[in-house]
Every structure is written in structure tokens, then in C-alpha cells.
Amino acid sequence: VNLKHCAKHQDELLKLYCKVCGEFICYECLAMGHKDDEEVQHETIALKETLEGQRAWITVTAEQLQTDLVPRVMSAVQHISDVMSSLSTQAHSVRQDIHEHFIRQARQLETYYLAQVDELERYRRALLNDQRSQLKSQLSTLGDVLEDCQGALGHETDSPVALTSCQNVLQRLFDA
């Protein structure tokens, strides 16, 4: 598309700007009417004047953007970068806190379960000591009874009382 020549009249250069329609037109368009709507009063200005106005507006607007918007956007970008950096630091700190918390919890659980094992060992050791003492006592009693019975059998006397007593004691021990 040639921006210098009119789209309707290719041989004509664009020389005017219609403020109402917002279009660039040539002198032919002005003379013939560039829109179908004849009731609208079309106000035109010279293209050079329009371009100067556009250049001035673009210059002012670009300067305003450069002085107002660009610093705000740069500040927002820096703020986001700072937040991202802070986020990494905070995430690392939280990870470290979680790790330390779990280590403390693991140590507490270890201490608790080791104490439980120690208590269970003491309880079972005491129980086994009692059982061993009882068995030793019974073994000693059994040894005494057997010795007495051996003595009663070893005598040449046939004492029915000693043999019956021995038989009764041995029967009670056997039944137990």
C-alpha cells in the first residue's frame, strides 16, 4: 500500500486530513465527496499541519511515557525481582525450619522409645530374676526332699512312716 497516494484516486497524492472521518484524502476526494453521507460537514486540514500535530502529540506522549510510565514499570520489575529473591530466601528458611523440627521430633521419639525399651527390659529382668529365685528355691527344696527320700531308702529299716511321708511329698511335687 502506497501511503502517499489516495486509495480511490491512485494518481492523486494525499494532501488533506478529514477530522470528522479520521482519514487522509486527496483534493479529488474533497471535491467529489469522500463519504456517501452528504449531510455530514467534513472539516479538513492540510496533511502537513496534521503530521506536525501528530509528531508533536507523539513527542509529548512519548516523553510522558518515558518520564512517568517507564520508571514505574522499571520499579515494578525491580519489586518483583526483590520479591522473587525474598521468596527464595524465605523458602530456604522454611525448609530449614521444617528439617530442624523433624530432627527434634525424631530425637524426641527416639528418646521416648529407648526409654520404653529400657523400662520393658528392667521389668522383664526383674520378672526373670523372681522366676529364677523361685526356681532355685524350689530346686533347693527338691534337693532336700530327694536327699531325705534317699536317706529313707538307704536305711535298712523299713519305716513305713518315712517311706509314706516320702511318697506323699514326691507325689505333691510331681503333681505341681
Side-chain angles (χ1 to χ4, degrees):
V1 175
N2 185 346
L3 298 179
K4 291 185 178 184
H5 287 87
C6 179
K8 291 182 182 177
H9 310 100
Q10 281 86 17
D11 294 338
E12 294 292 323
L13 292 175
L14 297 172
K15 295 286 185 174
L16 303 168
Y17 177 76
C18 178
K19 290 182 174 183
V20 175
C21 300
E23 293 179 4
F24 294 100
I25 59 173
C26 66
Y27 287 117
E28 279 293 315
C29 290
L30 181 62
M32 307 286 271
H34 66 280
K35 289 284 184 189
D36 294 336
D37 188 1
E38 296 297 326
E39 296 174 13
V40 176
Q41 185 68 16
H42 295 276
E43 182 182 345
T44 59
I45 57 173
L47 181 63
K48 184 177 180 181
E49 190 179 324
T50 299
L51 293 177
E52 287 172 1
Q54 285 179 334
R55 281 191 185 106
W57 182 87
I58 289 171
T59 302
V60 168
T61 303
E63 286 174 2
Q64 286 177 339
L65 290 174
Q66 185 67 34
T67 58
D68 295 341
L69 186 59
V70 169
R72 287 190 304 188
V73 171
M74 288 174 62
S75 176
V77 167
Q78 182 61 46
H79 178 71
I80 289 172
S81 295
D82 293 346
V83 168
M84 288 173 64
S85 176
S86 173
L87 180 65
S88 296
T89 302
Q90 289 173 354
H92 176 73
S93 177
V94 168
R95 284 185 194 99
Q96 190 68 25
D97 289 347
I98 289 170
H99 177 73
E100 290 171 5
H101 174 75
F102 277 103
I103 297 249
R104 281 191 306 274
Q105 290 293 331
R107 286 183 185 142
Q108 288 174 350
L109 286 172
E110 179 185 33
T111 301
Y112 171 78
Y113 286 120
L114 288 175
Q116 293 296 314
V117 167
D118 290 346
E119 185 178 329
L120 185 60
E121 180 187 19
R122 280 191 299 276
Y123 171 77
R124 287 185 175 175
R125 186 173 300 280
L127 186 63
L128 290 170
N129 273 333
D130 287 347
Q131 289 175 346
R132 183 174 61 185
S133 294
Q134 289 174 2
L135 288 172
K136 281 182 176 182
S137 174
Q138 290 173 357
L139 185 60
S140 176
T141 302
L142 181 60
D144 291 345
V145 168
L146 289 174
E147 189 178 315
D148 289 346
C149 287
Q150 288 293 336
L153 289 174
H155 290 104
E156 295 290 326
T157 63
D158 289 325
S159 168
V161 174
L163 291 176
T164 302
S165 176
C166 234
Q167 182 179 1
N168 288 339
V169 170
L170 289 175
Q171 186 63 47
R172 278 195 314 263
L173 288 173
F174 189 75
D175 289 343

